[in-house]
Amino acid sequence: MAESSSKRQAWFCTTGLPSDVVVDVGDMSFHLHKFPLMARSKKLLEVITEHEANSNSAGGVVTARKECEEDDENDEIQEEEEKADNVCHVTFPDFPGGSEAFETAAKFCYAVKIELSPSNVAPLRCAGEALEMTEEYCEGNLISKTERFLSQTVLRSLRDSIRTLKTCEDDLLPMAESLGIVQRCIDSVVSKASASDPSLFGWPVNEFTNSGAVAGDRWFDELVFLNPPLFKRLITAIKSRDLNPEIVENCLISYAKKHIPGVNRGGRRSSSSSVLSEIEQKELLETVVLNLPVENGVRSAPAPVAVFFGMLRASNILNASNACRATLERKIGSQLEQATLDDLLMPSYSYLTETLYDVDCFQRILTHFLRSVEETSPADVIENDDGGADNENSARSVRLLLAGKLIDGYLSEIASDANLKPDKFLELAFALPEQSRLYDDGLYRSVDIYLKAHPWITEADRERISGVLDCRKLTLEACTHAAQNERLPLRAVVQVLFFEQLQLRHAIAGTLISTGGIGPLNTAERPREMAALEDESVVEAEVAVRDNQVLRLDMDSMRTRVHHLERECSTMKKAIEKIHKVGPTGWRGSLTKKFGCKFKTQVCDSHEPTIVEARKARTHRRHHHHQE
């Protein structure tokens, strides 16, 4: 068999015999022979038989017309017309699978060996149904062959089931649906996705993790090529089986990253992926988000919260429903500590919002985070030998500390926005509890930036803004900067100076403890935040490093002061030696001459003889006692 090279517009069977059947499928014309087709296809048998019956009834008219013709040229034309009338023309305007499926079915009729695959078995099964190539009509026909391949090969592999399901789209969908191919493939995907045996997935065992999940999520790569209607049906079926939330979430996220621009900020969409309109993207995004499981998944992903932030940005751009946005904000809030500062800085897309970034959205996310911290489940608790309650407290402390660092960075970024009102800044600064910050240096930086960017605010607002700081939790460097900061109110500067002195006293006392100079400090004198966190293994290392830095700075300051004192003592000693050399009268004269002042003689004379006489008396008594 051969095909024409002119863009496959005509297909000829090169058996050496003239074609007597022409089948039109789409933009292709297949020039075939009726006997091989009639031997396999009951449908073509009926069409060809009907055509032959109509041709025989019109044969007498053609013969009579031929006898009346006398011209040779006309005879040749009539012969051509007669041949054309004897060729059976069949047209299939909506043939399932198109010209490619009919071509393979025609080759099967000519007993040509065909290779079945997950990509062509569904179109061929539908083509066999359309041509009525049943087992009752001919043994070993196309329908039985494709059904056997579906049940024994395709439906036993997760990847092959997805690939076959992908071929059931568009024009093939109605017949594939009626034949049950779509539902069987969906059931196969669901059952294989929930299976614990890696060999059931159709990949080698060494490509799986211990939990049975596919390494690299390769089956998700196949899943993203489904069109949205089939994907929705598959997700609905997966959720109905109560599968692991991680599987559902991975499916949804993979599909969203493939078809919705902006969701995967770190990657690029494939050029082969279908481009959806904005309305289709909005509908798909709402479907993906509203089907996300309540439980958190994707525990092993590098940064799943970044994907949710990408979806949230896309929902703002596409103007998705409020329910879609609320779901994303709740998902982000449940794992806010995993976010980065770049994730938090979401631009404001509403004309009603004056600020550059969407502060209100972040405030709602923060509320969800605090609620999730209060409802920390035992599964999220860090396991150790100290007991469940301590583990839960440790997990919450870690989450709060990470979130505190994020919020301080966020406040520093938005503080320079001229449209950020003091009340909104204060709401975010006071949102987290005290134990969220070991030190308030980051918060002090955001306060300083805000006061610098808003010089027009009232003195009362300046007092309120600076009131978010706990001066007891500022390091020595921050205290030094704040004591010289002209933007801070006077009351805040006084508080900073006071607690700076307390820090120096504690640092000096701690140094004396290490050398054995004094007894241990009373723990009641420590800041209450430090006393509350001293038993937590999570923060011990950071506290030790910070304390060492403070002590090192204090010791350097003390060492410098000692050097200054030594130089002053040395200068004074040299001055005293000069005084003794010049004598009692000389040193007074020299000072009078140098500084232009006069000393009363009686004051000096009244003391100097007394001191000299006392020294002489002590020397005389020692000498006399030594001689005795």
Side-chain angles (χ1 to χ4, degrees), residues 238-308:
I238 290 177
K239 292 189 67 177
S240 66
R241 293 285 293 269
D242 295 329
L243 296 184
N244 186 345
E246 184 175 351
I247 295 178
V248 179
E249 191 167 287
N250 271 322
C251 291
L252 293 167
I253 289 177
S254 299
Y255 198 83
K257 289 166 65 176
K258 183 72 174 180
H259 295 279
I260 303 176
V263 172
N264 187 19
R265 300 179 64 194
R268 295 178 298 175
R269 266 200 320 153
S270 174
S271 58
S272 61
S273 62
S274 58
V275 179
L276 303 178
S277 65
E278 288 190 3
I279 297 178
E280 292 174 332
Q281 291 178 25
K282 175 185 174 181
E283 294 177 353
L284 176 60
L285 179 62
E286 292 176 349
T287 300
V288 168
V289 172
L290 296 180
N291 280 284
L292 287 172
V294 177
E295 302 85 351
N296 287 328
V298 206
R299 296 295 185 188
S300 59
V305 71
V307 178
F308 295 136

Side-chain angles (χ1 to χ4, degrees), residues 175-219:
M175 182 169 288
E177 186 72 59
S178 63
L179 296 176
I181 300 176
V182 174
Q183 191 60 46
R184 282 185 287 172
C185 289
I186 290 176
D187 293 340
S188 173
V189 172
V190 174
S191 61
K192 299 300 181 297
S194 60
S196 58
D197 184 6
S199 63
L200 296 178
F201 286 80
W203 283 286
V205 177
N206 58 3
E207 294 185 3
F208 290 76
T209 62
N210 294 331
S211 62
V214 183
D217 294 337
R218 291 183 57 185
W219 71 289

Side-chain angles (χ1 to χ4, degrees), residues 580-595:
H580 284 293
K581 289 181 180 180
V582 298
T585 306
W587 70 268
R588 286 199 300 268
S590 61
L591 290 177
T592 302
K593 183 178 180 181
K594 182 175 183 180
F595 296 102

